[in-house]
Amino acid sequence: MTSHPLRLPPGRVDLTEIDPGSTALFDGGKKDAKAALFAMGEELSDLQERLFAQGRSGATRRLLLVLQGMDTSGKGGVLKHTVGLVDPQGVRITSFKAPTEEERHHDFLWRIRRALPEAGYLGVFDRSHYEDVLIGRVRELADPEEIERRYTAINDFERELVDDGTTVVKCMLHISPDQQRERLLRRLDKPSKHWKYNPGDIDERGQWPRYREAYEVALERTNTEHAPWFVIPSDHKWYRNLMVGRLLLDVLRGLQLEWPEADFDVEVERKRLLDESPIA
Amino acid sequence: MTSHPLRLPPGRVDLTEIDPGSTALFDGGKKDAKAALFAMGEELSDLQERLFAQGRSGATRRLLLVLQGMDTSGKGGVLKHTVGLVDPQGVRITSFKAPTEEERHHDFLWRIRRALPEAGYLGVFDRSHYEDVLIGRVRELADPEEIERRYTAINDFERELVDDGTTVVKCMLHISPDQQRERLLRRLDKPSKHWKYNPGDIDERGQWPRYREAYEVALERTNTEHAPWFVIPSDHKWYRNLMVGRLLLDVLRGLQLEWPEADFDVEVERKRLLDESPIA
């Protein structure tokens, strides 16, 4: 995946140089993109089922999709429209909120480890351990030495996951402040969206430049070969959903997932079924 | 829901009197049924999102769909095709396997309680606490007094859930032994289905009459007003998926879910967004 067009190149990160409104990798508009995403469903489902089948048959491979981004960047939209294309049976979604009292009494990775997908599953993190170096840094929820320690802790943790058979795909959903404002205003316009709105979101928005800086540092420090970052231009929802779908598809294809071989004799079993006495 | 056409009437249960091949409640064939299920997606999604929104806003309502049935009856198919219609973000699926060592050291409801959906969620149990009075009874995994105790324990437990805001919908996916044989043979025919096949399934199948009896007793004993059973004719997959979809839709409609009201002043928030200084 190191040569993927959405892969963030290693080195210093300047998010102002990445256009959140880009649609460069798709030659078409909203309608075409929706159709293209839908058309992807069958292959995505097939590959996810192979992964799941392998998990049931003793293989340890699993996939972890990490979604990060500012409010309204569309983590929920990706869950609904992209992750929603595959069988929910094989998906484990965890939405990380502000840590609970119990969680705060443990290392920041404690709750993350508890939410890791089992073998064969597609795990999705809606927010993640990255919050602990994002809001953690901006809101000074931990002292600078602790924040500093976390970048290394994250890299070590992700290395461990990869060594244990997990493919880690980290997506930063990249939106512009203008697009966020539009989306927040739209939430205010629709009573059916009020529940998604929180006045505190505007306070966070007021810290936009500091969040951008925190993202830039986090992306730079944790953009490893084993767990690379992908920056998804997300001002266009249809482009964002399609790009994450394509990325998932590329990753799953790369795993070269075969159906597990039968660990029983197919002919013997067939005969057992055909020869049985009638069931009343 | 007590007058629902799929609701199992209270009293003695004789499963041989319920036709697993019935398609009586749908006036059409496979293709129409698939279209009808798909068409249901939008309303189902909308209602599920309202439930979820209410959960985020402090309401305690939640939904628990319990799926039980013999092997190949289609618990997985319902998850994929029916539950798969709604946003996976609001769904919590738990597949119960043979209990682990740790689970066996607790009361049979211990692991069930840990898997209950949070407020606002649609929880789905693929197998459930009913296994403890089904395979538990047939395979004599507990002594008769303990099995006897469990029916009451289940009713008390489900009463508690309902009192706490959970709507409990229990579906028995009803198939015929002939249909099961066909499905097992089909799994043997396709290498992509071998992972779903387990030679032990035929041993369980050999106990079909005893399982039927165990189901009949369990259904009769736990078919309460607060947590009724629905028997879904499941020899036709398309009918089964559609009937569970309709049932979910009926249940969700019955909850009369409104969007939560804003707990902030919409105009104040709009002004904050429109008046803010530009973000660099």
Side-chain angles (χ1 to χ4, degrees):
Chain A
M1 301 304 298
T2 51
S3 64
H4 196 280
L6 292 166
R7 163 81 205 266
L8 182 70
R12 265 200 90 71
V13 178
D14 181 349
L15 283 171
T16 64
E17 283 178 356
I18 303 176
D19 177 11
S22 169
T23 59
L25 298 174
F26 185 67
D27 198 18
K30 183 173 174 170
K31 218 174 148 182
D32 313 300
K34 285 189 172 187
L37 181 63
F38 188 76
M40 205 181 281
E42 199 169 334
E43 190 182 352
L44 259 184
S45 287
D46 175 77
L47 292 172
Q48 176 271 326
E49 193 182 349
R50 288 168 189 245
L51 180 70
F52 190 73
Q54 290 208 345
R56 286 291 166 93
S57 308
T60 60
R61 275 192 287 195
R62 61 203 84 187
L63 196 66
L64 177 63
L65 174 66
V66 173
L67 299 175
Q68 281 291 158
M70 297 294 283
D71 280 331
T72 78
S73 62
K75 300 176 290 290
V78 167
L79 285 169
K80 182 170 181 176
H81 299 288
T82 306
V83 176
L85 289 172
V86 307
D87 189 344
Q89 234 182 316
V91 177
R92 287 290 176 267
I93 297 170
T94 310
S95 299
F96 290 98
K97 313 279 172 216
T100 63
E101 170 104 24
E102 186 187 20
E103 289 167 350
R104 279 200 308 274
H105 282 91
H106 288 277
D107 180 66
F108 77 108
L109 291 174
W110 181 75
R111 64 175 186 160
I112 307 296
R113 287 183 185 276
R114 288 159 61 100
L116 290 170
E118 293 163 81
Y121 279 84
L122 164 59
V124 189
F125 286 176
D126 167 6
R127 301 186 188 273
S128 65
H129 41 301
Y130 284 97
E131 291 297 319
D132 298 282
V133 291
L134 293 167
I135 192 170
R137 183 182 175 108
V138 172
R139 294 297 181 182
E140 298 173 3
L141 303 177
D143 56 41
E145 296 75 37
E146 168 61 11
I147 299 285
E148 187 56 34
R149 182 191 74 82
R150 288 179 184 171
Y151 301 112
T152 313
I154 287 173
N155 287 337
D156 291 347
F157 168 62
E158 290 176 352
R159 169 89 259 169
E160 181 193 325
L161 296 186
V162 171
D163 288 346
D164 192 40
T166 307
T167 303
V168 180
V169 181
K170 304 185 293 194
C171 291
M172 190 255 179
L173 308 182
H174 181 43
I175 55 164
S176 63
D178 281 353
Q179 181 61 221
Q180 189 191 55
R181 185 163 75 160
E182 269 185 49
R183 291 184 187 174
L184 289 172
L185 285 169
R186 229 172 297 147
R187 286 185 182 176
L188 290 172
D189 288 342
K190 293 190 183 178
S192 68
K193 301 279 181 206
H194 284 169
W195 67 278
K196 291 189 179 186
Y197 186 92
N198 181 339
D201 296 347
I202 303 193
D203 305 324
E204 293 306 293
R205 175 175 164 77
Q207 301 291 325
W208 192 282
R210 296 193 64 204
Y211 271 104
R212 181 164 52 216
E213 190 219 350
Y215 266 104
E216 287 171 346
V217 175
L219 292 172
E220 183 185 328
R221 297 286 300 273
T222 63
N223 188 21
T224 55
E225 279 299 306
H226 59 272
W229 274 103
F230 298 86
V231 176
I232 316 289
S234 297
D235 273 3
H236 297 284
K237 295 176 180 178
W238 52 267
Y239 186 72
R240 172 200 72 205
N241 294 343
L242 180 64
M243 288 302 115
V244 177
R246 277 197 186 167
L247 184 56
L248 274 181
L249 192 56
D250 290 341
V251 169
L252 284 165
R253 280 176 180 162
L255 294 180
Q256 302 190 302
L257 297 157
E258 304 294 334
W259 291 107
E261 285 203 30
D263 56 359
F264 50 84
D265 185 321
V266 176
E267 283 318 310
V268 167
E269 296 301 318
R270 199 189 317 267
K271 205 162 170 331
R272 281 178 78 194
L273 275 164
L274 294 172
D275 291 354
E276 72 178 4
S277 27
I279 292 176
Chain B
M1 302 306 298
T2 51
S3 64
H4 196 279
L6 292 167
R7 163 80 205 267
L8 181 70
R12 265 200 91 71
V13 179
D14 180 349
L15 282 171
T16 64
E17 283 178 357
I18 304 176
D19 178 10
S22 168
T23 58
L25 298 173
F26 184 67
D27 198 18
K30 181 173 174 171
K31 215 174 149 181
D32 313 301
K34 285 190 172 186
L37 181 63
F38 188 76
M40 205 180 279
E42 200 169 335
E43 190 182 352
L44 260 184
S45 287
D46 176 77
L47 292 172
Q48 175 271 326
E49 193 182 348
R50 287 168 189 245
L51 181 70
F52 190 73
Q54 288 208 347
R56 286 291 166 93
S57 308
T60 60
R61 274 193 288 196
R62 61 202 85 185
L63 196 65
L64 177 63
L65 174 67
V66 173
L67 299 175
Q68 281 290 156
M70 297 293 282
D71 280 330
T72 78
S73 61
K75 299 176 290 292
V78 167
L79 285 169
K80 181 170 180 175
H81 299 289
T82 306
V83 176
L85 289 172
V86 307
D87 189 344
Q89 234 182 317
V91 177
R92 285 290 176 267
I93 297 171
T94 309
S95 299
F96 291 98
K97 313 281 172 213
T100 63
E101 169 103 24
E102 185 187 21
E103 288 167 352
R104 279 199 308 273
H105 282 90
H106 289 277
D107 180 66
F108 77 108
L109 292 173
W110 181 75
R111 64 175 186 161
I112 307 295
R113 287 184 185 275
R114 289 159 59 101
L116 289 171
E118 294 163 80
Y121 279 84
L122 163 59
V124 189
F125 286 175
D126 167 6
R127 303 186 186 273
S128 67
H129 42 300
Y130 285 96
E131 290 298 319
D132 298 282
V133 292
L134 293 167
I135 191 170
R137 183 181 176 107
V138 172
R139 294 297 181 182
E140 298 173 3
L141 304 177
D143 57 40
E145 296 74 37
E146 167 62 11
I147 299 286
E148 188 57 34
R149 181 192 74 83
R150 288 179 183 171
Y151 301 112
T152 313
I154 287 173
N155 288 336
D156 291 347
F157 167 63
E158 291 175 352
R159 171 88 260 167
E160 182 193 323
L161 296 186
V162 171
D163 288 347
D164 191 40
T166 307
T167 303
V168 180
V169 181
K170 304 185 292 195
C171 291
M172 191 255 180
L173 308 183
H174 181 42
I175 55 165
S176 62
D178 282 352
Q179 181 60 220
Q180 188 192 54
R181 184 163 76 160
E182 269 184 51
R183 291 184 187 175
L184 288 172
L185 285 169
R186 228 171 298 148
R187 286 185 183 177
L188 290 173
D189 287 342
K190 291 190 184 176
S192 67
K193 302 278 182 207
H194 286 168
W195 68 278
K196 292 189 178 187
Y197 186 91
N198 182 338
D201 295 347
I202 303 194
D203 305 324
E204 292 306 294
R205 174 174 165 77
Q207 301 291 325
W208 192 283
R210 299 193 63 203
Y211 271 104
R212 181 164 53 217
E213 191 220 349
Y215 265 104
E216 287 171 347
V217 176
L219 291 172
E220 183 185 328
R221 299 286 299 274
T222 63
N223 189 20
T224 55
E225 279 298 307
H226 58 273
W229 273 103
F230 299 85
V231 176
I232 315 289
S234 297
D235 273 3
H236 297 284
K237 295 176 181 179
W238 52 268
Y239 187 72
R240 171 200 74 203
N241 295 343
L242 180 64
M243 288 302 115
V244 178
R246 277 197 185 165
L247 183 56
L248 275 180
L249 192 56
D250 290 341
V251 170
L252 284 165
R253 280 177 180 162
L255 295 179
Q256 303 190 302
L257 297 157
E258 305 294 333
W259 292 108
E261 284 202 31
D263 56 358
F264 50 84
D265 185 322
V266 175
E267 284 318 310
V268 167
E269 295 301 318
R270 201 191 315 269
K271 205 164 169 331
R272 281 178 78 195
L273 274 165
L274 294 172
D275 292 352
E276 72 179 1
S277 26
I279 292 175

